[in-house]
Amino acid sequence: MRAYNFCAGPAALPTAVLEKAQRELLDWQGKGLSIMEMSHRSADYVAVAEKAEADLRQLMNIPENYKVLFLQGGASLQFSAIPLNLLGKNSKADYIHTGIWSEKALKEAQRYGDINVIEAGTQIDGKLGIKPQSEWALSEDAAYVHYADNETIGGLQFAGIPEVNAPLVSDLSSSILSAPLDVSKFGLIYAGAQKNIGPAGLTLVILRDDLLDQSRADIPSLLKYSAQAKNDSMVNTPATYSWYLAGLVFEWLKEQGGVEAIHQANLEKAKLLYGYIDSSDFYNNPIAPANRSIMNVPFTLADEALEKRFLKEAEQNNLLNLAGHRSVGGMRASIYNAVPLEGVQALINFMDAFVKANG
Ligand SMILES: *Cc1c(COP(=O)(O)O)cnc(C)c1O
């Protein structure tokens, strides 16, 4: 039996996808070998790679003038690749700081340019929220504006897409494909795969083609967007198996009715869980309602001394990986696309029984 997995990443994958991968593992489509053992230059593999991109383009409604890159190094390597590619001659960028991931991104960028850090976290009625954009001091001449749509550790999410003049760059590692998104509002979107896309080892970059050719001359060629775009993300051997599995997840998402349908399911899961937490005196979520993440739900127990018992008993009930990030503690339930409603219901039933026994 498969447990419900609330891990923040690498995260739950749809069981149907894993079953298909299992069926195809030893002998991919009657070719007598695993897709893992296949050349990335073979016609069979290239067809798999192209189908994954086509399905993603359809799911996200990605305009023609955007390139989709299937890279490696995680979202964290993009923290460096983005300034190296996009800072251009004036070397200035605006970074919106809302938590741990946006901070890591801006720290890397500071190695390459003049970074204007906008502190956007704020307290709203004793809870953490995001300052309205009217209070951000954006620069006049930034090469781009960077933000992390969903702070995976804090459970803090932007309520909408910022409106800025410079190209908008967003880390969507933990929110890509969770809700419809107007890609045309962005210069560049990136996401590590291991939350809502597939296994670790793959990083998606979606960028507008006018931003391809601004990279520094001394940039490593693997990081150079124009080189990766020209070579269909195969400057070197890509993460072939992760790319294939991402393709299976995209097919699964289409079967679920696409991003609009999965968004409705995600809203229902988040509403149930936050609703339960808010109705309880024992559990608390520290985020202002307007900025609550629909993917990562952190919560604390009224008595910190009960945390170990909570985690142990949750595990005995097949509810896995509910510990908060090591830097913040507490609990966190990540309820990505692949976590079903029944998983959230099982979690709430457990939380309620736990309060009755210990509250
Ligand atoms: C997980 C995560 C990252 C880091 O991803 P890696 O692939 O491990 O580099 C960066 N940003 C956000 C928002 C994340 O959730």
Side-chain angles (χ1 to χ4, degrees):
M1 177 221 162
R2 273 168 62 74
Y4 293 119
N5 180 12
F6 298 95
C7 193
L13 284 163
T15 300
V17 164
L18 294 175
E19 284 168 347
K20 177 150 197 217
Q22 184 180 44
R23 286 196 300 277
E24 296 186 335
L25 185 66
L26 296 181
D27 179 9
W28 183 80
Q29 304 205 349
K31 303 281 175 172
L33 78 175
S34 171
I35 197 154
M36 268 188 257
E37 304 169 298
M38 211 178 266
S39 165
H40 57 295
R41 311 272 181 211
S42 66
D44 282 335
Y45 188 80
V46 169
V48 167
E50 286 176 350
K51 165 97 170 28
E53 178 176 336
D55 284 345
L56 180 70
R57 283 185 174 275
Q58 191 189 337
L59 281 164
M60 292 184 69
N61 203 6
I62 299 173
E64 291 262 318
N65 62 326
Y66 283 72
K67 297 283 185 206
V68 178
L69 306 178
F70 290 77
L71 306 177
Q72 299 184 63
S76 302
L77 191 56
Q78 293 307 311
F79 297 164
S80 310
I82 288 161
L84 287 168
N85 277 279
L86 302 188
L87 273 175
K89 284 195 193 65
N90 80 359
S91 269
K92 282 190 195 163
D94 287 346
Y95 274 69
I96 317 298
H97 182 205
T98 49
I100 291 169
W101 287 117
S102 52
E103 178 164 335
K104 288 193 185 216
L106 73 90
K107 286 252 160 74
E108 282 297 318
Q110 280 169 335
R111 295 151 59 89
Y112 306 109
D114 176 6
I115 303 303
N116 174 34
V117 178
I118 293 152
E119 297 297 343
T122 188
Q123 291 289 315
I124 303 172
D125 297 331
K127 300 226 172 206
L128 183 63
I130 299 174
K131 276 184 196 164
Q133 203 191 314
S134 55
E135 294 174 25
W136 303 351
L138 294 168
S139 321
E140 297 281 301
D141 54 352
Y144 61 91
V145 178
H146 178 280
Y147 76 108
D149 172 59
N150 182 53
E151 286 282 4
T152 317
I153 296 170
L156 181 80
Q157 187 163 21
F158 280 73
I161 302 174
E163 291 285 341
V164 298
N165 294 324
L168 188 60
V169 174
S170 188
D171 179 353
L172 273 128
S173 291
S174 50
S175 51
I176 193 165
L177 292 165
S178 67
L181 188 77
D182 182 354
V183 175
S184 73
K185 298 223 173 225
F186 295 88
L188 186 151
I189 286 166
Y190 66 106
Q194 66 274 22
K195 280 110 188 197
N196 242 349
I197 295 172
L202 176 72
T203 311
L204 275 186
V205 173
I206 302 169
L207 81 159
R208 214 171 56 213
D209 56 16
D210 62 291
L211 299 174
L212 279 171
D213 288 315
Q214 302 177 183
S215 62
R216 280 163 57 141
D218 60 356
I219 188 172
S221 40
L222 284 177
L223 297 187
K224 190 172 175 173
Y225 295 141
S226 58
Q228 290 289 9
K230 193 152 43 145
N231 290 281
D232 299 319
S233 309
M234 294 187 188
V235 169
N236 71 333
T237 315
T240 54
Y241 195 72
S242 296
W243 191 335
Y244 150 80
L245 226 110
L248 296 188
V249 171
F250 300 153
E251 284 175 8
W252 174 83
L253 263 176
K254 285 170 66 177
E255 285 160 22
Q256 306 309 300
V259 176
E260 186 60 60
I262 208 84
H263 182 222
Q264 290 311 318
N266 287 334
L267 287 177
E268 193 182 346
K269 290 184 292 181
K271 195 172 158 209
L272 263 184
L273 187 50
Y274 284 114
Y276 174 70
I277 292 171
D278 288 345
S279 74
S280 148
D281 295 330
F282 186 80
Y283 299 105
N284 181 55
N285 168 268
I287 306 301
N291 294 118
R292 283 173 163 179
S293 167
I294 63 165
M295 294 280 100
N296 310 98
V297 182
F299 59 92
T300 52
L301 316 188
D303 180 359
E304 217 175 292
L306 290 171
E307 285 184 358
K308 276 214 173 77
R309 180 185 297 175
F310 182 93
L311 290 170
K312 185 164 155 252
E313 291 181 7
E315 205 173 304
Q316 288 162 351
N317 283 275
N318 291 314
L319 305 166
L320 306 185
N321 296 313
L322 286 161
H325 190 265
R326 54 195 150 74
S327 64
V328 293
M331 303 296 146
R332 173 177 49 171
S334 294
I335 48 175
Y336 296 118
N337 288 350
V339 175
L341 179 65
E342 300 80 66
V344 174
Q345 280 160 340
L347 173 61
I348 292 171
N349 290 344
F350 166 75
M351 288 168 74
D352 205 41
F354 189 85
V355 181
K356 294 202 168 103
N358 301 283

